[in-house]
Amino acid sequence: MPNYLNIAPNLETKITLDQSPNLSMVALIFTYMIFIIEAIVLSAFAIKQSSFFRNIKDYALQLFIITLYSLIPVIGFGFILCILGLAQLDSGEKKKFGLYFFALLIIQLATHFSVLDLVTTSYTI
């Protein structure tokens, strides 16, 4: 099994796939955390009769966007979710409007940082 991936067949650049002992635990925690947030977002947008879910739907979507796309910066899809969130807002919801733009800013800043740097770095003294 090769320990690298070729980015393009004609280039000399290779990516080494390292494994950290902390990576599997971090991945498991983030998987369950995102799954729970996704279930809350689904419930909030699907159950419109409940005033509780009607009140938290935007905050749940913003939490999902900031949590997931600050760790895994997929800018295009994160921006699309923010724009869809903005599009479904009622008029006069300035606080939620500002929070969606804050989420856009967080996604953009996350492209300059990587969670993999935190996982693979040794913090021993």
Side-chain angles (χ1 to χ4, degrees):
M1 182 167 136
N3 60 353
Y4 63 89
L5 294 174
N6 285 331
I7 293 174
N10 297 330
L11 299 176
E12 296 293 324
T13 308
K14 296 178 183 176
I15 300 173
T16 304
L17 300 176
D18 293 329
Q19 184 173 358
S20 173
N22 300 331
L23 187 60
S24 63
M25 180 57 76
V26 170
L28 186 64
I29 290 170
F30 282 135
T31 299
Y32 285 120
M33 182 178 68
I34 294 299
F35 179 73
I36 291 168
I37 295 171
E38 285 176 348
I40 293 170
V41 171
L42 171 67
S43 301
F45 279 91
I47 305 172
K48 295 181 181 181
Q49 295 83 8
S50 171
S51 64
F52 173 74
F53 285 121
R54 219 178 11 251
N55 292 333
I56 70 160
K57 70 178 184 172
D58 291 304
Y59 299 115
L61 181 58
Q62 292 164 1
L63 176 68
F64 173 74
I65 292 168
I66 290 172
T67 305
L68 182 64
Y69 296 109
S70 64
L71 299 173
I72 306 166
V74 182
I75 297 173
F77 195 66
F79 275 27
I80 288 172
L81 283 178
C82 287
I83 291 168
L84 289 173
L86 286 168
Q88 59 85 37
L89 284 177
D90 295 328
S91 61
E93 294 183 307
K94 293 179 182 178
K95 181 180 178 184
K96 293 177 183 178
F97 188 83
L99 289 174
Y100 277 114
F101 275 107
F102 178 71
L104 285 170
L105 179 67
I106 294 296
I107 294 170
Q108 187 65 35
L109 289 175
T111 60
H112 301 291
F113 306 102
S114 174
V115 72
L116 293 177
D117 293 337
L118 297 173
V119 175
T120 58
T121 304
S122 176
Y123 295 105
T124 57
I125 297 176

